Amino acid sequence: MKTISLSVLSFFIFLMAYNQKKGNNDLVIAKGQMPNIAKDKNNNIHIVYGSGDSIMYISSKDGNSFTSPSLVAVLPKLSASAMRGPQIAAASNGLVVTACTNGNIFSYKKETSGKWTKAVKVNDVDEVAKEALMALSADSLNAYAIWLGVSPKGQNVYGATSVDGGKTWSKNILVYASPDSTVCQCCKPSVAVKGNNVYVMFRNWLNGNRDLYLIKSADGGKSFGQPQKLGKGSWKLNGCPMDGGGLAIDKSGTPETVWRREGNIYAATPGMPEKEIGEGRSCSIETINNKNIYAWTEKGNVIVMKPGGMKINLGKGSLPLVKALNNEHVICVWENENQIHTSVLEL
């Protein structure tokens, strides 16, 4: 009887573990830090992350099974922590990866052979990206990179465009300079490209307030208009929250944003009042058929909020990103204890 009881107990333990895994669909796909994710025109998922000084790459056709990790490049003193890490975007002419070290940003293009090109420097001025806070987006042939760059008085937002998959980059431009000498110095900016429209979101520092602003280019990132403050409230803070927020463009071409103010997460469409959706930090956004999906970290757990407001706790982790797989599913990728996790969620 004892043997039978132990067997039954073992079976139930196995069953509970299986159901929990199946419910979250939580996969550990690699060891590393700071994953970033992109989807190409064929709905393939591409992820880059840092592992020591190595930029690593992994991909999936369905979000449920992944290739083995492969090396993009070794970049000595690679920045891959605290919002700083390799970025990836899918242009129509291939995958582009950017990464930062010692204040310089380098890009790599994935050739049709599967090999990655040698590093090309994105920034014109040496060691300008001291904080290693950058972002990358692409649509059609246009890839756009932005970063916080040093200026004589502080940090401001700079950008550059590539139309050949990251092999070459345009002359860098000043996207925005704060009249109070610097933007928020340690908050990662965001960028989203749709056709010739380039949207850049950043945390500003005006009159002591650390609020999010959005600025738009209608000519592929060659020039930008006036910045627009997001939300009605303000966050007066004598310090940097180290939290940049998330940006996406919906099916109709409208930018949608999510960001943190104090301990709360807010979602906002430019020109509209913000809506509080939760508590936490490190938020991101995806939009599917004009419906928004959000992810953030709350008390050490990864939270995903589906359209309609249902929240799902994916377990321990930080810095989650969400990306559409199709019209019915999203994939969330995050890091926890030097491991890269993913989970596919049905909407």
Side-chain angles (χ1 to χ4, degrees), residues 25-326:
N25 192 26
D26 181 354
L27 296 176
V28 177
I29 60 172
K31 291 183 178 180
Q33 294 178 294
M34 291 304 306
N36 193 253
I37 188 170
K39 184 176 73 170
D40 65 24
K41 59 185 178 181
N42 296 318
N43 291 330
N44 296 313
I45 293 295
H46 307 273
I47 295 173
V48 290
Y49 59 95
S51 179
D53 287 341
S54 297
I55 306 167
M56 303 300 296
Y57 166 78
I58 195 169
S59 66
S60 174
K61 293 183 178 180
D62 57 9
N64 293 307
S65 59
F66 289 80
T67 61
S68 298
S70 61
L71 180 68
V72 176
V74 175
L75 193 58
K77 297 184 179 180
L78 170 69
S79 296
S81 64
M83 298 186 298
R84 301 162 174 88
Q87 307 289 293
I88 188 167
S92 59
N93 53 3
L95 295 175
V96 187
V97 167
T98 56
C100 192
T101 181
N102 291 333
N104 293 314
I105 303 169
F106 297 94
S107 75
Y108 308 84
K109 173 180 168 54
K110 194 169 189 286
E111 302 281 25
T112 54
S113 64
K115 294 183 178 180
W116 295 88
T117 58
K118 292 183 179 180
V120 174
K121 195 167 72 169
V122 178
N123 49 295
D124 293 340
V125 180
D126 284 342
E127 299 182 6
V128 70
K130 293 289 188 181
E131 288 292 339
L133 291 165
M134 58 174 183
L136 178 69
S137 181
D139 185 55
S140 187
L141 292 174
N142 298 323
Y144 205 81
I146 62 164
W147 60 92
L148 297 189
V150 293
S151 66
K153 294 183 178 180
Q155 299 274 346
N156 286 302
V157 185
Y158 293 83
T161 186
S162 175
V163 295
D164 56 9
K167 286 186 174 181
T168 60
W169 292 86
S170 69
K171 179 178 175 59
N172 301 171
I173 71 162
L174 177 63
V175 174
Y176 174 81
S178 170
D180 282 4
S181 76
T182 182
V183 298
C184 200
Q185 302 95 324
C186 299
C187 289
K188 179 184 174 181
S190 301
V191 61
V193 179
K194 186 71 172 180
N196 284 325
N197 293 325
V198 179
Y199 293 92
V200 174
M201 186 177 77
F202 59 95
R203 192 179 290 275
N204 212 342
W205 188 23
L206 289 177
N207 301 316
N209 294 315
R210 307 273 178 164
D211 300 325
L212 275 297
Y213 280 71
L214 188 72
I215 192 167
K216 176 187 175 182
S217 168
D219 58 8
K222 297 176 183 177
S223 62
F224 284 81
Q226 293 300 309
Q228 178 182 6
K229 181 180 175 295
L230 296 169
K232 303 299 183 183
S234 288
W235 187 6
K236 191 169 287 293
L237 180 67
N238 186 22
C240 184
M242 299 185 68
D243 207 338
L247 169 66
I249 302 176
D250 71 14
K251 192 175 181 180
S252 60
T254 301
E256 298 288 344
T257 70
V258 64
W259 32 269
R260 169 192 170 208
R261 187 170 67 221
E262 298 182 353
N264 299 319
I265 305 295
Y266 294 90
T269 303
M272 301 293 290
E274 65 271 44
K275 178 182 178 182
E276 184 179 335
I277 61 172
E279 297 180 357
R281 60 177 298 122
S282 304
C283 45
S284 65
I285 182 175
E286 175 65 302
T287 176
I288 302 175
N289 290 330
N290 292 343
K291 295 180 180 180
N292 296 335
I293 301 94
Y294 307 98
W296 65 86
T297 304
E298 181 179 343
K299 296 178 180 178
N301 293 310
V302 172
I303 307 297
V304 174
M305 191 174 90
K306 298 182 181 182
M310 178 182 291
K311 297 178 183 178
I312 299 175
N313 187 333
L314 296 181
K316 296 296 182 182
S318 61
L319 302 167
L321 299 173
V322 280
K323 184 66 65 175
L325 285 176
N326 48 49

